[in-house]
Amino acid sequence: MKTILKKETFAGIIGIGSHLPSKTLTNFDLEKIVDTSDKWIKTRTGISERRIIDDNTGLSDLAVSASKKALFDAGLEITDIDLIILSTCSPEMVMPSTACLVQQKLGAKTIPAFDISAGCTGFIYAVAIGAQFIETGCYKKVLVIGADALSKHLDWTDRGTCVLFGDGAGAVVLGVVEQGYGILSNYLAATGAGANLLKIPAGGSGLPATKDSFVKKLHCVQMNGNEVFKFAVRALPQATNAALRKANLTVDDVDYFIPHQANIRILETAARKLGVGFDKIVNNIDKYGNTSTASIPVALDELWQSGVIKKGDVMLLVGFGAGLTWGANVIKWSKTTSSN
Ligand code: UT7
């Protein structure tokens, strides 16, 4: 096989874990809150229920739980980690970064820690960033987390958004893996021209939180669902093909597609456009809804825990989200065992 992979050091996933809050909010619960129905939500999105964070739990707590499981899966301690990258669009605070809160709660000493914001594509971006540090020899082990609690930013009177999202966190430890395994390619893209289609307008420096912003619910998610849908069904196949091309592979080489879990109809349309059987598309949207940047690592962790992934399997992680952003990672699985 001809190859375009020139790197000598390959970064890959050596540990993975996830954490979902225990509180479940079903479609039937939502019927009592807003003018919607279980039937509408299931047919239009594929979602049956989602997990919601309680008032005593912070986003950093979700991220810490997922990280501890990923460290355990890798057979590592926090002292083995050189860098923490946390992707989120619902940080615990505007400042400091949630990554620093996680660093402290995990008992890490002074290793660097920072957040990135790339909407629901954040985990894809964070894996690509983390891999660069390893491939250049700068760091040996990087903890990459995708965590979101968008339930804190929902307008519970807006049926167009409040039925879609859930909370959760997923984490991976990236480390050096065997040559030819691990992250084979990354494809990242963005277009700020679509910034208005999916946003939380208030709470930043452009529109600081005020009584007025609160009353107008400007701290809540606003979305043009139809336009985001159209974007998503273009972006998923485009990112998939672009990342596979960079790895010199085709869709036929992929064992599992792990897409951002936003809407089952988006996944069905993307699979059709790619000519991929739906049995290869990993989806858990019925149980968790759209957990934003957590959805890909949570789905990947569930697949890993189910025991079906074998060393050498090719995984295609692909996402889209606010920004607008989109992207994909191609990963040749290098792990053989889990410590769990
Ligand atoms: O992480 C990335 C972020 N987001 C996404 O990926 C979301 C992408 N977009 C979507 O998934 C879909 O556009 C939605 C699920 C948001 C909406 O589905 P849709 O099939 O595009 O519905 P629609 O917005 O075109 O609305 C159709 C009808 C409207 O009623 P009328 O005007 O036809 O009378 C809506 O008011 O459905 C109504 N509707 C609802 N009805 C019951 C919208 N939301 C609901 C609801 N329950 N929750």
Side-chain angles (χ1 to χ4, degrees), residues 89-162:
C89 47
S90 50
E92 198 155 307
M93 291 182 259
V94 173
M95 183 176 78
S97 70
T98 307
C100 282
L101 306 180
V102 169
Q103 190 238 37
Q104 189 268 330
K105 287 185 182 181
L106 284 173
K109 293 273 190 273
T110 57
I111 58 168
F114 61 88
D115 285 2
I116 68 140
S117 168
C120 302
T121 322
F123 185 75
I124 302 284
Y125 271 59
V127 164
I129 297 167
Q132 310 307 304
F133 281 104
I134 290 170
E135 288 170 8
T136 57
C138 182
Y139 294 125
K140 288 204 158 45
K141 308 265 184 327
V142 178
L143 177 62
V144 174
I145 308 161
D148 262 314
L150 279 175
S151 68
K152 298 285 184 190
H153 287 283
L154 293 176
D155 172 357
W156 294 98
T157 63
D158 175 14
R159 65 181 183 173
T161 53
C162 76

Side-chain angles (χ1 to χ4, degrees), residues 8-255:
E8 284 172 9
T9 305
F10 284 75
I13 293 175
I14 60 169
I16 179 161
S18 62
H19 181 80
L20 283 309
S22 54
K23 187 177 166 195
T24 299
L25 187 70
T26 67
N27 292 349
F28 298 105
D29 296 328
L30 280 165
E31 285 180 354
K32 295 175 200 136
I33 299 173
V34 70
D35 180 16
T36 191
S37 67
D38 173 60
K39 187 170 170 226
W40 191 96
I41 302 171
K42 261 199 202 126
T43 337
R44 305 307 293 167
T45 72
I47 303 168
S48 300
E49 56 188 45
R50 68 287 292 141
R51 303 296 182 85
I52 303 291
I53 202 168
D54 66 45
D55 289 341
N56 302 317
T57 310
L59 185 71
S60 59
D61 298 316
L62 294 187
V64 164
S65 296
S67 300
K68 284 182 175 168
K69 290 179 194 168
L71 287 167
F72 183 68
D73 185 51
L76 296 174
E77 304 289 334
I78 184 61
T79 45
D80 297 312
I81 298 297
D82 304 308
L83 166 70
I84 300 174
I85 306 172
L86 186 143
S87 145
T88 188
C89 47
S90 50
E92 198 155 307
M93 291 182 259
V94 173
M95 183 176 78
S97 70
T98 307
C100 282
L101 306 180
V102 169
Q103 190 238 37
Q104 189 268 330
K105 287 185 182 181
L106 284 173
K109 293 273 190 273
T110 57
I111 58 168
F114 61 88
D115 285 2
I116 68 140
S117 168
C120 302
T121 322
F123 185 75
I124 302 284
Y125 271 59
V127 164
I129 297 167
Q132 310 307 304
F133 281 104
I134 290 170
E135 288 170 8
T136 57
C138 182
Y139 294 125
K140 288 204 158 45
K141 308 265 184 327
V142 178
L143 177 62
V144 174
I145 308 161
D148 262 314
L150 279 175
S151 68
K152 298 285 184 190
H153 287 283
L154 293 176
D155 172 357
W156 294 98
T157 63
D158 175 14
R159 65 181 183 173
T161 53
C162 76
V163 305
L164 304 176
F165 296 94
D167 304 333
V172 295
V173 179
L174 300 181
V176 177
V177 298
E178 238 175 282
Q179 287 240 343
Y181 284 80
I183 298 154
L184 302 185
S185 72
N186 301 299
Y187 170 79
L188 307 177
T191 171
N196 269 331
L197 296 178
L198 179 52
K199 62 182 178 183
I200 297 173
S205 58
L207 193 56
T210 59
K211 202 169 155 187
D212 188 50
S213 73
F214 179 75
V215 170
K216 290 181 177 155
K217 297 184 174 163
L218 298 177
H219 58 293
C220 295
V221 173
Q222 294 181 354
M223 181 173 68
N224 181 332
N226 291 311
E227 287 305 315
V228 175
F229 191 104
K230 282 189 246 169
F231 155 69
V233 298
R234 281 195 312 270
L236 289 182
Q238 193 264 329
T240 298
N241 286 324
L244 286 171
R245 252 194 321 273
K246 286 175 92 176
N248 208 19
L249 298 172
T250 72
V251 285
D252 295 333
D253 297 310
V254 178
D255 295 288

